[in-house]
Amino acid sequence: MASAKRKKSVAADPSAFRSEALARALEKQDMAAVALALRNGNTVVPLLSPGPKDDPLDGGEVWTYRDPSTGQVALLLFSDARHKPGNLPPQVGVYSPAWLRAFLTQHRTAITTVFLDIAGPHPMQASPADLLAALDA
């Protein structure tokens, strides 16, 4: 899925990308704190391909997972690039709350679920509608 505008992307050192507030909220498994962190901070998103190097604000292509047996699409978000499993594309982007709201709104009929830190250490799952409600609260 092509993305809207994003803040940054990186392939070389993804470990520099982290949202401390989101990591703490996921550790507590506190949905209200997760909502607050998503409303007020950036989120790490895996990219299939980054935007052009000469235009750092141009959107890259966000990687989503499509279940081959059901066709359902999941968006994966991370509190820290180090939590992204190695089998995902190596590039990541750091996206704003406005981007997340716009992306979920644009793709709400295609995306069936959103996973936060799917590989741990404190994973959570939410529907796009629940995340949109949290972003708009």
Side-chain angles (χ1 to χ4, degrees), residues 45-121:
V45 181
L47 299 177
L48 189 56
S49 61
K53 291 180 183 180
D54 60 340
D55 186 0
L57 296 178
D58 186 74
E61 186 176 356
V62 171
W63 183 87
T64 54
Y65 173 76
R66 181 178 301 275
D67 185 316
S69 61
T70 64
Q72 293 185 335
V73 176
L75 174 65
L76 279 60
L77 304 176
F78 298 93
S79 63
D80 190 318
R82 292 176 291 197
H83 297 161
K84 181 182 70 63
N87 62 338
L88 298 184
Q91 295 87 8
V92 295
V94 177
Y95 288 85
S96 71
W99 173 87
L100 182 57
R101 182 181 294 107
F103 190 83
L104 288 173
T105 299
Q106 179 181 356
H107 300 290
R108 69 176 153 227
T109 59
I111 296 172
T112 56
T113 194
V114 179
F115 289 103
L116 300 144
D117 285 355
I118 192 169

Side-chain angles (χ1 to χ4, degrees), residues 7-27:
K7 282 186 93 172
K8 301 177 189 176
S9 73
V10 68
D13 185 17
S15 65
F17 296 97
R18 177 172 173 78
S19 168
E20 186 63 35
L22 182 56
R24 278 186 267 128
L26 290 171
E27 181 178 2

